[in-house]
Amino acid sequence: QIADGVFGRRSGRERAFLYSAALYPSIEDGQLELAGWGDAPEIRRAMHEDAPFMWEESADGGIVFHDRFRTYLDRQFQTCDAAFRSTVAHLAVHSLAASGRYADALDAATKQGLDDAIGGLLDEHGFEILESGEIDVIGDALHACDGPAESIGATASALRGYLDARRGHLDTAEAWF
């Protein structure tokens, strides 16, 4: 497979960079710098010969991973040490949140199963995310931390109640409020 060959040619640092970059919706040097990759442009330039197999320019001028390569990176990332995965994922979530990209941060935290980050983002920015129209992101996050009302916090409970009411489940919605 092409992805195996491309990934296999990368150094350990480049692989860690790719894992980190794949946690973001697009490859943005500024976001990566916030996560500790101050040399992101240099790392990307060092991989220029394989760039066409890894990423492409999007319609808005950004850089995004090819879907298949992102999927490959996601699978490889899951085989890494749990502490490494947690560190890389928390850095990505914190950099997105620090930039005010709360929905993207919540989405990344949900995909990586970072319950503490999910809870914090829902408590601090849940209604803001909801008001921005990211209902699916909120729903996915709530589903990921599916537990008793006491364990998810008051804001998350209210958000869950709102979503249940919106779906017409008024009997369960009332219980969450």
Side-chain angles (χ1 to χ4, degrees), residues 104-167:
D104 288 336
L106 182 59
D107 189 45
T110 301
K111 288 177 179 172
Q112 296 304 314
L114 305 176
D115 292 341
D116 57 334
I118 293 169
L121 285 162
L122 287 173
D123 283 344
E124 293 177 38
H125 306 287
F127 285 106
E128 185 178 343
I129 296 168
L130 184 69
E131 289 171 0
S132 73
E134 298 290 345
I135 295 171
D136 290 341
V137 172
I138 294 286
D140 291 346
L142 290 170
H143 182 70
C145 62
D146 200 14
E150 304 82 41
S151 69
I152 65 170
T155 302
S157 292
L159 288 165
R160 183 168 284 160
Y162 171 80
L163 291 181
D164 279 358
R166 194 174 151 90
R167 292 182 191 121

Side-chain angles (χ1 to χ4, degrees), residues 78-109:
Q78 294 308 313
T79 67
C80 293
D81 174 74
F84 171 76
R85 286 194 330 262
S86 177
T87 299
V88 170
H90 274 96
L91 287 169
V93 168
H94 289 297
S95 74
L96 287 164
S99 299
R101 294 174 57 181
Y102 305 119
D104 288 336
L106 182 59
D107 189 45

